[in-house]
Amino acid sequence: MSEKPQPIRVLYCPACSLPAEYCEFGPDFEKCKPWLIRNAPNLYPDLIKEANAKEADKVTEQLQSTGMSSDGATPSAPKEEVKRLPGGKIKKKEKQEVVIEKVVRNKRKCITTVKGLELFGVKLSDASKKLGKKFATGASVVKGPTEKEQIDVQGDISYDIVEFITETWPDVPETAIFFIEDGRKVPAA
């Protein structure tokens, strides 16, 4: 008589509660990696290589922070500090540029939007007053779709606005001003 087959014991990951073979498809593979290296090294041999490489990187980083490197030389330049957001995303430093966009509403009416003046130290409330007086239109500071403040000016003033911005605020170079035309960023200069 043949032996009765035994049930297979499945190894479940405590981090994602999936079988160890499926951790890489789970919600957060990074949290599972340390557990997988300790308890299921045969399933993911690349993880062990990766962990060893990271350890080597940490050692060289520590040597560099103390003023020595692995080849015995002193470090040439200090590293820039990178700001990390939750989830491991890296925050990019904003480019200093002014973006001008013309938005058409109600077929004939236009609004010219000016974004990025605050990056050059320009106070947006003062800028909106000056733009309103210069072009004899309504101008206001509003929050845009990205929750950043921008200036909305009634009417199509894109033809004169570059010259006005560079004359009024000399800190803003003409090379840093861009138009958005047909969904593309086009330099004003």
Side-chain angles (χ1 to χ4, degrees):
M1 202 169 197
S2 68
E3 253 182 65
K4 190 174 182 183
Q6 295 296 316
I8 299 173
R9 295 203 39 95
V10 179
L11 185 63
Y12 286 95
C13 173
C16 65
S17 71
L18 291 173
E21 296 89 14
Y22 293 101
C23 277
E24 63 183 309
F25 305 112
D28 196 2
F29 187 49
E30 293 299 317
K31 288 182 181 177
C32 300
K33 282 182 180 180
W35 183 86
L36 287 169
I37 290 170
R38 284 192 308 274
N39 299 311
N42 57 340
L43 290 175
Y44 297 100
D46 294 339
L47 284 181
I48 297 169
K49 291 176 189 171
E50 188 178 306
N52 291 339
K54 280 186 181 178
E55 297 232 356
D57 288 343
K58 282 183 185 177
V59 169
T60 55
E61 206 171 285
Q62 287 175 348
L63 286 173
Q64 287 177 347
S65 67
T66 59
M68 298 165 51
S69 64
S70 57
D71 59 358
T74 56
S76 57
K79 282 188 175 180
E80 281 186 25
E81 248 183 72
V82 178
K83 188 170 184 180
R84 292 209 175 255
L85 297 173
K89 293 182 180 174
I90 297 173
K91 184 174 183 179
K92 293 181 180 176
K93 193 173 183 181
E94 285 188 65
K95 290 182 181 175
Q96 281 196 323
E97 59 187 22
V98 177
V99 178
I100 300 167
E101 182 177 11
K102 185 176 93 170
V103 180
V104 179
R105 61 176 189 89
N106 295 345
K107 295 181 185 165
R108 290 181 21 221
K109 307 217 180 216
C110 294
I111 293 177
T112 304
T113 305
V114 181
K115 304 173 195 169
L117 271 178
E118 74 278 358
L119 297 174
F120 292 95
V122 177
K123 222 173 162 189
L124 291 183
S125 57
D126 294 342
S128 70
K129 282 182 187 176
K130 287 182 181 180
L131 284 167
K133 284 182 182 177
K134 164 72 177 168
F135 297 105
T137 62
S140 61
V141 178
V142 295
K143 282 201 176 192
T146 60
E147 293 297 315
K148 290 188 179 177
E149 290 189 332
Q150 62 189 29
I151 300 174
D152 280 358
V153 184
Q154 294 177 6
D156 181 10
I157 61 163
S158 57
Y159 52 89
D160 268 347
I161 196 164
V162 175
E163 188 179 323
F164 178 72
I165 288 174
T166 53
E167 286 175 3
T168 311
W169 299 285
D171 294 343
V172 182
E174 195 170 341
T175 56
I177 301 175
F178 294 91
F179 286 108
I180 292 185
E181 295 176 355
D182 302 326
R184 292 179 319 202
K185 199 184 282 186
V186 180

